[in-house]
Amino acid sequence: SSSSIEFTSGIDSTYDIYQFEFININPATDNVDLTFNGSTDSGSNYNVTKTTTLFKTYHDEGDTDTTLVYDTGRDIAQGTGFQTLIQDLGNGADESGSGTLQIFNPSSTTFVKHFISNTNSLYFQNYTFNMYCAGYFNTQSPINAVQFKMESGNFDGTIKMYGISA
């Protein structure tokens, strides 16, 4: 029952990849997005410039509507806003989202920091959504904190962070 979850320690040069797992994320408010952003100042500000792209597939419970679509409205082009990872989550007991986010070489002081995400969720109108997001933080400063939040209201669920050596 949090409005946001922040990882403000442990993201350093120890690992090449940091993977976050979202498990049964369920919002208090119906029809909201789970979003994320990075920080270069240990979580004082979450406003790193990024470029992203997002596409999704969906399928309704009645088997009458299926699609694969590039979602230009959820892209960020050299902006500092929060990036959507899970779209339009429902707040019912049977509606939640799960998935992963990987950030590559976040401690680099030379290169941009690439990331990819894959999530699956139950959309608030009884659709299953599979979303793919990729992009990069356009900074040479290390990303040393990450925040996850719903675009509105609180949420329940689990978010875990793992370090992976390449």
Side-chain angles (χ1 to χ4, degrees), residues 83-156:
Q83 174 62 49
T84 296
L85 297 175
I86 303 176
Q87 173 187 340
D88 299 333
L89 269 169
N91 68 344
D94 65 343
E95 298 172 323
S96 66
S98 297
T100 60
L101 167 69
Q102 294 177 320
I103 302 175
F104 300 91
N105 203 14
S107 295
S108 172
T109 57
T110 305
F111 301 109
V112 300
K113 288 77 176 147
H114 295 274
F115 58 85
I116 57 174
S117 175
N118 180 9
T119 61
N120 192 37
S121 63
L122 186 59
Y123 175 68
F124 80 105
Q125 292 181 330
N126 297 323
Y127 280 76
T128 183
F129 266 53
N130 192 230
M131 299 184 71
Y132 301 88
C133 178
Y136 62 92
F137 292 109
N138 193 7
T139 180
Q140 290 181 319
S141 299
I143 299 295
N144 55 21
V146 176
Q147 182 183 57
F148 300 93
K149 67 178 185 174
M150 300 310 282
E151 66 180 337
S152 173
N154 290 352
F155 67 97
D156 292 324

Side-chain angles (χ1 to χ4, degrees), residues 33-66:
D33 297 353
L34 176 68
T35 65
F36 95 105
N37 208 335
S39 174
T40 60
D41 58 11
S42 302
S44 294
N45 296 286
Y46 290 95
N47 58 0
V48 179
T49 300
K50 70 190 81 46
T51 293
T52 68
T53 189
L54 188 143
F55 72 94
K56 62 189 172 193
T57 63
Y58 59 82
H59 194 143
D60 73 323
E61 285 183 358
D63 198 23
T64 60
D65 190 14
T66 62

